[in-house]
mmCIF file with all atom_site columns, all heavy atoms in Angstrom:
data_model
loop_
_atom_site.group_PDB
_atom_site.id
_atom_site.type_symbol
_atom_site.label_atom_id
_atom_site.label_alt_id
_atom_site.label_comp_id
_atom_site.label_asym_id
_atom_site.label_entity_id
_atom_site.label_seq_id
_atom_site.pdbx_PDB_ins_code
_atom_site.Cartn_x
_atom_site.Cartn_y
_atom_site.Cartn_z
_atom_site.occupancy
_atom_site.B_iso_or_equiv
_atom_site.pdbx_formal_charge
_atom_site.auth_seq_id
_atom_site.auth_comp_id
_atom_site.auth_asym_id
_atom_site.auth_atom_id
_atom_site.pdbx_PDB_model_num
ATOM 1   N N   . ARG A 1 126 ? 8.808  -141.359 26.342 1.00 98.00 ? 126 ARG A N   1
ATOM 2   C CA  . ARG A 1 126 ? 9.892  -140.531 26.867 1.00 98.00 ? 126 ARG A CA  1
ATOM 3   C C   . ARG A 1 126 ? 10.770 -141.413 27.749 1.00 98.00 ? 126 ARG A C   1
ATOM 4   O O   . ARG A 1 126 ? 10.265 -142.224 28.515 1.00 98.00 ? 126 ARG A O   1
ATOM 5   C CB  . ARG A 1 126 ? 9.315  -139.370 27.683 1.00 98.00 ? 126 ARG A CB  1
ATOM 6   C CG  . ARG A 1 126 ? 10.375 -138.494 28.326 1.00 98.00 ? 126 ARG A CG  1
ATOM 7   C CD  . ARG A 1 126 ? 9.760  -137.279 28.969 1.00 98.00 ? 126 ARG A CD  1
ATOM 8   N NE  . ARG A 1 126 ? 9.129  -136.425 27.963 1.00 98.00 ? 126 ARG A NE  1
ATOM 9   C CZ  . ARG A 1 126 ? 8.837  -135.144 28.151 1.00 98.00 ? 126 ARG A CZ  1
ATOM 10  N NH1 . ARG A 1 126 ? 9.134  -134.562 29.311 1.00 98.00 ? 126 ARG A NH1 1
ATOM 11  N NH2 . ARG A 1 126 ? 8.261  -134.433 27.209 1.00 98.00 ? 126 ARG A NH2 1
ATOM 12  N N   . GLY A 1 176 ? 2.646  -125.928 24.214 1.00 98.00 ? 176 GLY A N   1
ATOM 13  C CA  . GLY A 1 176 ? 3.299  -127.205 24.437 1.00 98.00 ? 176 GLY A CA  1
ATOM 14  C C   . GLY A 1 176 ? 4.239  -127.138 25.643 1.00 98.00 ? 176 GLY A C   1
ATOM 15  O O   . GLY A 1 176 ? 3.902  -126.580 26.684 1.00 98.00 ? 176 GLY A O   1
ATOM 16  N N   . MET A 1 177 ? 5.439  -127.677 25.480 1.00 98.00 ? 177 MET A N   1
ATOM 17  C CA  . MET A 1 177 ? 6.378  -127.752 26.607 1.00 98.00 ? 177 MET A CA  1
ATOM 18  C C   . MET A 1 177 ? 6.886  -126.385 27.069 1.00 98.00 ? 177 MET A C   1
ATOM 19  O O   . MET A 1 177 ? 7.411  -126.258 28.166 1.00 98.00 ? 177 MET A O   1
ATOM 20  C CB  . MET A 1 177 ? 7.543  -128.683 26.280 1.00 98.00 ? 177 MET A CB  1
ATOM 21  C CG  . MET A 1 177 ? 7.167  -130.148 26.417 1.00 98.00 ? 177 MET A CG  1
ATOM 22  S SD  . MET A 1 177 ? 8.466  -131.290 25.887 1.00 98.00 ? 177 MET A SD  1
ATOM 23  C CE  . MET A 1 177 ? 9.748  -130.969 27.086 1.00 98.00 ? 177 MET A CE  1
ATOM 24  N N   . SER A 1 180 ? 4.931  -125.863 30.069 1.00 97.00 ? 180 SER A N   1
ATOM 25  C CA  . SER A 1 180 ? 5.468  -126.641 31.192 1.00 97.00 ? 180 SER A CA  1
ATOM 26  C C   . SER A 1 180 ? 6.701  -125.972 31.777 1.00 97.00 ? 180 SER A C   1
ATOM 27  O O   . SER A 1 180 ? 6.899  -125.960 32.997 1.00 97.00 ? 180 SER A O   1
ATOM 28  C CB  . SER A 1 180 ? 5.817  -128.068 30.741 1.00 97.00 ? 180 SER A CB  1
ATOM 29  O OG  . SER A 1 180 ? 4.695  -128.719 30.203 1.00 97.00 ? 180 SER A OG  1
ATOM 30  N N   . TYR A 1 185 ? 7.441  -127.033 35.564 1.00 96.00 ? 185 TYR A N   1
ATOM 31  C CA  . TYR A 1 185 ? 7.301  -128.492 35.643 1.00 96.00 ? 185 TYR A CA  1
ATOM 32  C C   . TYR A 1 185 ? 8.428  -129.242 34.936 1.00 96.00 ? 185 TYR A C   1
ATOM 33  O O   . TYR A 1 185 ? 8.546  -130.450 35.080 1.00 96.00 ? 185 TYR A O   1
ATOM 34  C CB  . TYR A 1 185 ? 5.947  -128.921 35.062 1.00 96.00 ? 185 TYR A CB  1
ATOM 35  C CG  . TYR A 1 185 ? 4.779  -128.457 35.900 1.00 96.00 ? 185 TYR A CG  1
ATOM 36  C CD1 . TYR A 1 185 ? 3.840  -127.577 35.388 1.00 96.00 ? 185 TYR A CD1 1
ATOM 37  C CD2 . TYR A 1 185 ? 4.631  -128.883 37.220 1.00 96.00 ? 185 TYR A CD2 1
ATOM 38  C CE1 . TYR A 1 185 ? 2.782  -127.127 36.161 1.00 96.00 ? 185 TYR A CE1 1
ATOM 39  C CE2 . TYR A 1 185 ? 3.579  -128.438 38.007 1.00 96.00 ? 185 TYR A CE2 1
ATOM 40  C CZ  . TYR A 1 185 ? 2.656  -127.565 37.468 1.00 96.00 ? 185 TYR A CZ  1
ATOM 41  O OH  . TYR A 1 185 ? 1.610  -127.118 38.241 1.00 96.00 ? 185 TYR A OH  1
ATOM 42  N N   . ILE A 1 186 ? 9.200  -128.557 34.123 1.00 97.00 ? 186 ILE A N   1
ATOM 43  C CA  . ILE A 1 186 ? 10.310 -129.239 33.427 1.00 97.00 ? 186 ILE A CA  1
ATOM 44  C C   . ILE A 1 186 ? 11.584 -128.425 33.579 1.00 97.00 ? 186 ILE A C   1
ATOM 45  O O   . ILE A 1 186 ? 11.561 -127.268 34.004 1.00 97.00 ? 186 ILE A O   1
ATOM 46  C CB  . ILE A 1 186 ? 10.015 -129.455 31.918 1.00 97.00 ? 186 ILE A CB  1
ATOM 47  C CG1 . ILE A 1 186 ? 9.862  -128.110 31.179 1.00 97.00 ? 186 ILE A CG1 1
ATOM 48  C CG2 . ILE A 1 186 ? 8.820  -130.348 31.726 1.00 97.00 ? 186 ILE A CG2 1
ATOM 49  C CD1 . ILE A 1 186 ? 9.846  -128.249 29.668 1.00 97.00 ? 186 ILE A CD1 1
ATOM 50  N N   . ASP A 1 190 ? 15.077 -130.244 28.973 1.00 98.00 ? 190 ASP A N   1
ATOM 51  C CA  . ASP A 1 190 ? 14.123 -131.283 28.553 1.00 98.00 ? 190 ASP A CA  1
ATOM 52  C C   . ASP A 1 190 ? 13.650 -131.033 27.123 1.00 98.00 ? 190 ASP A C   1
ATOM 53  O O   . ASP A 1 190 ? 13.492 -131.962 26.328 1.00 98.00 ? 190 ASP A O   1
ATOM 54  C CB  . ASP A 1 190 ? 12.894 -131.310 29.474 1.00 98.00 ? 190 ASP A CB  1
ATOM 55  C CG  . ASP A 1 190 ? 13.205 -131.816 30.875 1.00 98.00 ? 190 ASP A CG  1
ATOM 56  O OD1 . ASP A 1 190 ? 14.354 -132.230 31.116 1.00 98.00 ? 190 ASP A OD1 1
ATOM 57  O OD2 . ASP A 1 190 ? 12.293 -131.788 31.727 1.00 98.00 ? 190 ASP A OD2 1
ATOM 58  N N   . CYS A 1 194 ? 13.596 -133.395 22.727 1.00 98.00 ? 194 CYS A N   1
ATOM 59  C CA  . CYS A 1 194 ? 12.219 -133.750 22.402 1.00 98.00 ? 194 CYS A CA  1
ATOM 60  C C   . CYS A 1 194 ? 11.955 -133.420 20.934 1.00 98.00 ? 194 CYS A C   1
ATOM 61  O O   . CYS A 1 194 ? 12.422 -132.384 20.438 1.00 98.00 ? 194 CYS A O   1
ATOM 62  C CB  . CYS A 1 194 ? 11.282 -132.937 23.306 1.00 98.00 ? 194 CYS A CB  1
ATOM 63  S SG  . CYS A 1 194 ? 9.573  -133.392 23.165 1.00 98.00 ? 194 CYS A SG  1
ATOM 64  N N   . ILE A 1 259 ? 8.268  -143.501 30.079 1.00 97.00 ? 259 ILE A N   1
ATOM 65  C CA  . ILE A 1 259 ? 6.872  -143.065 30.204 1.00 97.00 ? 259 ILE A CA  1
ATOM 66  C C   . ILE A 1 259 ? 6.229  -143.160 28.821 1.00 97.00 ? 259 ILE A C   1
ATOM 67  O O   . ILE A 1 259 ? 6.710  -142.555 27.854 1.00 97.00 ? 259 ILE A O   1
ATOM 68  C CB  . ILE A 1 259 ? 6.785  -141.619 30.728 1.00 97.00 ? 259 ILE A CB  1
ATOM 69  C CG1 . ILE A 1 259 ? 7.398  -141.530 32.135 1.00 97.00 ? 259 ILE A CG1 1
ATOM 70  C CG2 . ILE A 1 259 ? 5.338  -141.126 30.728 1.00 97.00 ? 259 ILE A CG2 1
ATOM 71  C CD1 . ILE A 1 259 ? 7.632  -140.108 32.611 1.00 97.00 ? 259 ILE A CD1 1
ATOM 72  N N   . PHE A 1 317 ? -0.658 -131.019 23.742 1.00 98.00 ? 317 PHE A N   1
ATOM 73  C CA  . PHE A 1 317 ? -1.278 -131.563 24.957 1.00 98.00 ? 317 PHE A CA  1
ATOM 74  C C   . PHE A 1 317 ? -0.501 -132.794 25.425 1.00 98.00 ? 317 PHE A C   1
ATOM 75  O O   . PHE A 1 317 ? -0.194 -132.946 26.612 1.00 98.00 ? 317 PHE A O   1
ATOM 76  C CB  . PHE A 1 317 ? -2.739 -131.925 24.671 1.00 98.00 ? 317 PHE A CB  1
ATOM 77  C CG  . PHE A 1 317 ? -3.508 -132.472 25.845 1.00 98.00 ? 317 PHE A CG  1
ATOM 78  C CD1 . PHE A 1 317 ? -4.389 -131.664 26.560 1.00 98.00 ? 317 PHE A CD1 1
ATOM 79  C CD2 . PHE A 1 317 ? -3.374 -133.797 26.239 1.00 98.00 ? 317 PHE A CD2 1
ATOM 80  C CE1 . PHE A 1 317 ? -5.101 -132.166 27.649 1.00 98.00 ? 317 PHE A CE1 1
ATOM 81  C CE2 . PHE A 1 317 ? -4.078 -134.315 27.319 1.00 98.00 ? 317 PHE A CE2 1
ATOM 82  C CZ  . PHE A 1 317 ? -4.955 -133.484 28.027 1.00 98.00 ? 317 PHE A CZ  1
ATOM 83  N N   . ALA A 1 318 ? -0.181 -133.677 24.481 1.00 98.00 ? 318 ALA A N   1
ATOM 84  C CA  . ALA A 1 318 ? 0.523  -134.921 24.835 1.00 98.00 ? 318 ALA A CA  1
ATOM 85  C C   . ALA A 1 318 ? 1.915  -134.629 25.396 1.00 98.00 ? 318 ALA A C   1
ATOM 86  O O   . ALA A 1 318 ? 2.354  -135.288 26.351 1.00 98.00 ? 318 ALA A O   1
ATOM 87  C CB  . ALA A 1 318 ? 0.626  -135.837 23.617 1.00 98.00 ? 318 ALA A CB  1
ATOM 88  N N   . TRP A 1 319 ? 2.618  -133.651 24.818 1.00 98.00 ? 319 TRP A N   1
ATOM 89  C CA  . TRP A 1 319 ? 3.950  -133.318 25.343 1.00 98.00 ? 319 TRP A CA  1
ATOM 90  C C   . TRP A 1 319 ? 3.865  -132.724 26.746 1.00 98.00 ? 319 TRP A C   1
ATOM 91  O O   . TRP A 1 319 ? 4.695  -133.018 27.598 1.00 98.00 ? 319 TRP A O   1
ATOM 92  C CB  . TRP A 1 319 ? 4.668  -132.359 24.399 1.00 98.00 ? 319 TRP A CB  1
ATOM 93  C CG  . TRP A 1 319 ? 5.325  -133.067 23.246 1.00 98.00 ? 319 TRP A CG  1
ATOM 94  C CD1 . TRP A 1 319 ? 6.080  -134.199 23.305 1.00 98.00 ? 319 TRP A CD1 1
ATOM 95  C CD2 . TRP A 1 319 ? 5.274  -132.694 21.864 1.00 98.00 ? 319 TRP A CD2 1
ATOM 96  N NE1 . TRP A 1 319 ? 6.509  -134.554 22.048 1.00 98.00 ? 319 TRP A NE1 1
ATOM 97  C CE2 . TRP A 1 319 ? 6.024  -133.648 21.139 1.00 98.00 ? 319 TRP A CE2 1
ATOM 98  C CE3 . TRP A 1 319 ? 4.676  -131.653 21.161 1.00 98.00 ? 319 TRP A CE3 1
ATOM 99  C CZ2 . TRP A 1 319 ? 6.190  -133.586 19.753 1.00 98.00 ? 319 TRP A CZ2 1
ATOM 100 C CZ3 . TRP A 1 319 ? 4.833  -131.591 19.790 1.00 98.00 ? 319 TRP A CZ3 1
ATOM 101 C CH2 . TRP A 1 319 ? 5.582  -132.555 19.105 1.00 98.00 ? 319 TRP A CH2 1
ATOM 102 N N   . VAL A 1 320 ? 2.855  -131.898 26.977 1.00 97.00 ? 320 VAL A N   1
ATOM 103 C CA  . VAL A 1 320 ? 2.651  -131.357 28.324 1.00 97.00 ? 320 VAL A CA  1
ATOM 104 C C   . VAL A 1 320 ? 2.283  -132.498 29.279 1.00 97.00 ? 320 VAL A C   1
ATOM 105 O O   . VAL A 1 320 ? 2.733  -132.528 30.429 1.00 97.00 ? 320 VAL A O   1
ATOM 106 C CB  . VAL A 1 320 ? 1.566  -130.257 28.315 1.00 97.00 ? 320 VAL A CB  1
ATOM 107 C CG1 . VAL A 1 320 ? 1.226  -129.821 29.737 1.00 97.00 ? 320 VAL A CG1 1
ATOM 108 C CG2 . VAL A 1 320 ? 2.033  -129.052 27.497 1.00 97.00 ? 320 VAL A CG2 1
ATOM 109 N N   . ASN A 1 321 ? 1.489  -133.442 28.776 1.00 97.00 ? 321 ASN A N   1
ATOM 110 C CA  . ASN A 1 321 ? 1.088  -134.595 29.599 1.00 97.00 ? 321 ASN A CA  1
ATOM 111 C C   . ASN A 1 321 ? 2.313  -135.410 30.034 1.00 97.00 ? 321 ASN A C   1
ATOM 112 O O   . ASN A 1 321 ? 2.490  -135.705 31.222 1.00 97.00 ? 321 ASN A O   1
ATOM 113 C CB  . ASN A 1 321 ? 0.119  -135.469 28.805 1.00 97.00 ? 321 ASN A CB  1
ATOM 114 C CG  . ASN A 1 321 ? -0.631 -136.461 29.673 1.00 97.00 ? 321 ASN A CG  1
ATOM 115 O OD1 . ASN A 1 321 ? -0.934 -136.180 30.835 1.00 97.00 ? 321 ASN A OD1 1
ATOM 116 N ND2 . ASN A 1 321 ? -0.920 -137.632 29.128 1.00 97.00 ? 321 ASN A ND2 1
ATOM 117 N N   . ARG A 1 322 ? 3.175  -135.762 29.082 1.00 97.00 ? 322 ARG A N   1
ATOM 118 C CA  . ARG A 1 322 ? 4.386  -136.534 29.421 1.00 97.00 ? 322 ARG A CA  1
ATOM 119 C C   . ARG A 1 322 ? 5.331  -135.713 30.295 1.00 97.00 ? 322 ARG A C   1
ATOM 120 O O   . ARG A 1 322 ? 6.011  -136.259 31.164 1.00 97.00 ? 322 ARG A O   1
ATOM 121 C CB  . ARG A 1 322 ? 5.084  -137.036 28.153 1.00 97.00 ? 322 ARG A CB  1
ATOM 122 C CG  . ARG A 1 322 ? 4.311  -138.139 27.441 1.00 97.00 ? 322 ARG A CG  1
ATOM 123 C CD  . ARG A 1 322 ? 5.152  -138.917 26.445 1.00 97.00 ? 322 ARG A CD  1
ATOM 124 N NE  . ARG A 1 322 ? 5.489  -138.222 25.240 1.00 97.00 ? 322 ARG A NE  1
ATOM 125 C CZ  . ARG A 1 322 ? 4.714  -138.110 24.163 1.00 97.00 ? 322 ARG A CZ  1
ATOM 126 N NH1 . ARG A 1 322 ? 3.500  -138.647 24.162 1.00 97.00 ? 322 ARG A NH1 1
ATOM 127 N NH2 . ARG A 1 322 ? 5.130  -137.471 23.078 1.00 97.00 ? 322 ARG A NH2 1
ATOM 128 N N   . SER A 1 323 ? 5.368  -134.388 30.062 1.00 98.00 ? 323 SER A N   1
ATOM 129 C CA  . SER A 1 323 ? 6.208  -133.516 30.893 1.00 98.00 ? 323 SER A CA  1
ATOM 130 C C   . SER A 1 323 ? 5.708  -133.490 32.331 1.00 98.00 ? 323 SER A C   1
ATOM 131 O O   . SER A 1 323 ? 6.501  -133.475 33.277 1.00 98.00 ? 323 SER A O   1
ATOM 132 C CB  . SER A 1 323 ? 6.214  -132.093 30.327 1.00 98.00 ? 323 SER A CB  1
ATOM 133 O OG  . SER A 1 323 ? 6.842  -132.074 29.064 1.00 98.00 ? 323 SER A OG  1
ATOM 134 N N   . SER A 1 324 ? 4.385  -133.467 32.493 1.00 96.00 ? 324 SER A N   1
ATOM 135 C CA  . SER A 1 324 ? 3.811  -133.463 33.842 1.00 96.00 ? 324 SER A CA  1
ATOM 136 C C   . SER A 1 324 ? 4.151  -134.761 34.563 1.00 96.00 ? 324 SER A C   1
ATOM 137 O O   . SER A 1 324 ? 4.473  -134.756 35.761 1.00 96.00 ? 324 SER A O   1
ATOM 138 C CB  . SER A 1 324 ? 2.288  -133.290 33.760 1.00 96.00 ? 324 SER A CB  1
ATOM 139 O OG  . SER A 1 324 ? 1.962  -132.074 33.107 1.00 96.00 ? 324 SER A OG  1
ATOM 140 N N   . MET A 1 325 ? 4.102  -135.884 33.837 1.00 97.00 ? 325 MET A N   1
ATOM 141 C CA  . MET A 1 325 ? 4.441  -137.175 34.453 1.00 97.00 ? 325 MET A CA  1
ATOM 142 C C   . MET A 1 325 ? 5.945  -137.312 34.688 1.00 97.00 ? 325 MET A C   1
ATOM 143 O O   . MET A 1 325 ? 6.370  -138.021 35.597 1.00 97.00 ? 325 MET A O   1
ATOM 144 C CB  . MET A 1 325 ? 3.882  -138.321 33.614 1.00 97.00 ? 325 MET A CB  1
ATOM 145 C CG  . MET A 1 325 ? 2.370  -138.442 33.780 1.00 97.00 ? 325 MET A CG  1
ATOM 146 S SD  . MET A 1 325 ? 1.673  -139.835 32.908 1.00 97.00 ? 325 MET A SD  1
ATOM 147 C CE  . MET A 1 325 ? 1.657  -139.225 31.243 1.00 97.00 ? 325 MET A CE  1
ATOM 148 N N   . THR A 1 326 ? 6.746  -136.609 33.885 1.00 98.00 ? 326 THR A N   1
ATOM 149 C CA  . THR A 1 326 ? 8.192  -136.543 34.141 1.00 98.00 ? 326 THR A CA  1
ATOM 150 C C   . THR A 1 326 ? 8.420  -135.854 35.488 1.00 98.00 ? 326 THR A C   1
ATOM 151 O O   . THR A 1 326 ? 9.200  -136.324 36.327 1.00 98.00 ? 326 THR A O   1
ATOM 152 C CB  . THR A 1 326 ? 8.899  -135.755 33.020 1.00 98.00 ? 326 THR A CB  1
ATOM 153 O OG1 . THR A 1 326 ? 8.694  -136.426 31.773 1.00 98.00 ? 326 THR A OG1 1
ATOM 154 C CG2 . THR A 1 326 ? 10.389 -135.625 33.277 1.00 98.00 ? 326 THR A CG2 1
ATOM 155 N N   . PHE A 1 327 ? 7.718  -134.737 35.687 1.00 97.00 ? 327 PHE A N   1
ATOM 156 C CA  . PHE A 1 327 ? 7.806  -133.995 36.963 1.00 97.00 ? 327 PHE A CA  1
ATOM 157 C C   . PHE A 1 327 ? 7.414  -134.900 38.137 1.00 97.00 ? 327 PHE A C   1
ATOM 158 O O   . PHE A 1 327 ? 8.111  -134.965 39.155 1.00 97.00 ? 327 PHE A O   1
ATOM 159 C CB  . PHE A 1 327 ? 6.882  -132.769 36.882 1.00 97.00 ? 327 PHE A CB  1
ATOM 160 C CG  . PHE A 1 327 ? 6.710  -132.036 38.174 1.00 97.00 ? 327 PHE A CG  1
ATOM 161 C CD1 . PHE A 1 327 ? 7.694  -131.183 38.646 1.00 97.00 ? 327 PHE A CD1 1
ATOM 162 C CD2 . PHE A 1 327 ? 5.553  -132.196 38.932 1.00 97.00 ? 327 PHE A CD2 1
ATOM 163 C CE1 . PHE A 1 327 ? 7.533  -130.494 39.844 1.00 97.00 ? 327 PHE A CE1 1
ATOM 164 C CE2 . PHE A 1 327 ? 5.381  -131.522 40.129 1.00 97.00 ? 327 PHE A CE2 1
ATOM 165 C CZ  . PHE A 1 327 ? 6.376  -130.662 40.588 1.00 97.00 ? 327 PHE A CZ  1
ATOM 166 N N   . LEU A 1 328 ? 6.298  -135.642 37.962 1.00 96.00 ? 328 LEU A N   1
ATOM 167 C CA  . LEU A 1 328 ? 5.806  -136.502 39.043 1.00 96.00 ? 328 LEU A CA  1
ATOM 168 C C   . LEU A 1 328 ? 6.756  -137.677 39.302 1.00 96.00 ? 328 LEU A C   1
ATOM 169 O O   . LEU A 1 328 ? 6.965  -138.077 40.454 1.00 96.00 ? 328 LEU A O   1
ATOM 170 C CB  . LEU A 1 328 ? 4.406  -137.012 38.696 1.00 96.00 ? 328 LEU A CB  1
ATOM 171 C CG  . LEU A 1 328 ? 3.320  -135.915 38.599 1.00 96.00 ? 328 LEU A CG  1
ATOM 172 C CD1 . LEU A 1 328 ? 2.042  -136.474 37.975 1.00 96.00 ? 328 LEU A CD1 1
ATOM 173 C CD2 . LEU A 1 328 ? 3.038  -135.297 39.952 1.00 96.00 ? 328 LEU A CD2 1
ATOM 174 N N   . ARG A 1 330 ? 10.040 -137.636 38.776 1.00 98.00 ? 330 ARG A N   1
ATOM 175 C CA  . ARG A 1 330 ? 11.202 -137.059 39.469 1.00 98.00 ? 330 ARG A CA  1
ATOM 176 C C   . ARG A 1 330 ? 10.886 -136.862 40.956 1.00 98.00 ? 330 ARG A C   1
ATOM 177 O O   . ARG A 1 330 ? 11.725 -137.132 41.814 1.00 98.00 ? 330 ARG A O   1
ATOM 178 C CB  . ARG A 1 330 ? 11.580 -135.727 38.816 1.00 98.00 ? 330 ARG A CB  1
ATOM 179 C CG  . ARG A 1 330 ? 12.307 -135.889 37.483 1.00 98.00 ? 330 ARG A CG  1
ATOM 180 C CD  . ARG A 1 330 ? 12.427 -134.564 36.731 1.00 98.00 ? 330 ARG A CD  1
ATOM 181 N NE  . ARG A 1 330 ? 13.287 -134.694 35.555 1.00 98.00 ? 330 ARG A NE  1
ATOM 182 C CZ  . ARG A 1 330 ? 13.288 -133.849 34.535 1.00 98.00 ? 330 ARG A CZ  1
ATOM 183 N NH1 . ARG A 1 330 ? 12.472 -132.806 34.540 1.00 98.00 ? 330 ARG A NH1 1
ATOM 184 N NH2 . ARG A 1 330 ? 14.099 -134.036 33.507 1.00 98.00 ? 330 ARG A NH2 1
ATOM 185 N N   . ASP A 1 351 ? 12.381 -137.869 23.666 1.00 98.00 ? 351 ASP A N   1
ATOM 186 C CA  . ASP A 1 351 ? 10.932 -138.050 23.664 1.00 98.00 ? 351 ASP A CA  1
ATOM 187 C C   . ASP A 1 351 ? 10.502 -138.169 22.210 1.00 98.00 ? 351 ASP A C   1
ATOM 188 O O   . ASP A 1 351 ? 10.796 -137.282 21.401 1.00 98.00 ? 351 ASP A O   1
ATOM 189 C CB  . ASP A 1 351 ? 10.260 -136.838 24.329 1.00 98.00 ? 351 ASP A CB  1
ATOM 190 C CG  . ASP A 1 351 ? 8.739  -136.909 24.363 1.00 98.00 ? 351 ASP A CG  1
ATOM 191 O OD1 . ASP A 1 351 ? 8.107  -136.939 23.278 1.00 98.00 ? 351 ASP A OD1 1
ATOM 192 O OD2 . ASP A 1 351 ? 8.170  -136.926 25.460 1.00 98.00 ? 351 ASP A OD2 1
#
Side-chain angles (χ1 to χ4, degrees):
R126 177 173 296 199
M177 282 174 65
S180 302
Y185 293 117
I186 63 169
D190 291 355
C194 187
I259 298 167
F317 181 101
W319 278 315
V320 173
N321 195 33
R322 289 197 288 277
S323 294
S324 301
M325 286 184 283
T326 299
F327 171 78
L328 295 168
R330 284 169 172 161
D351 179 298

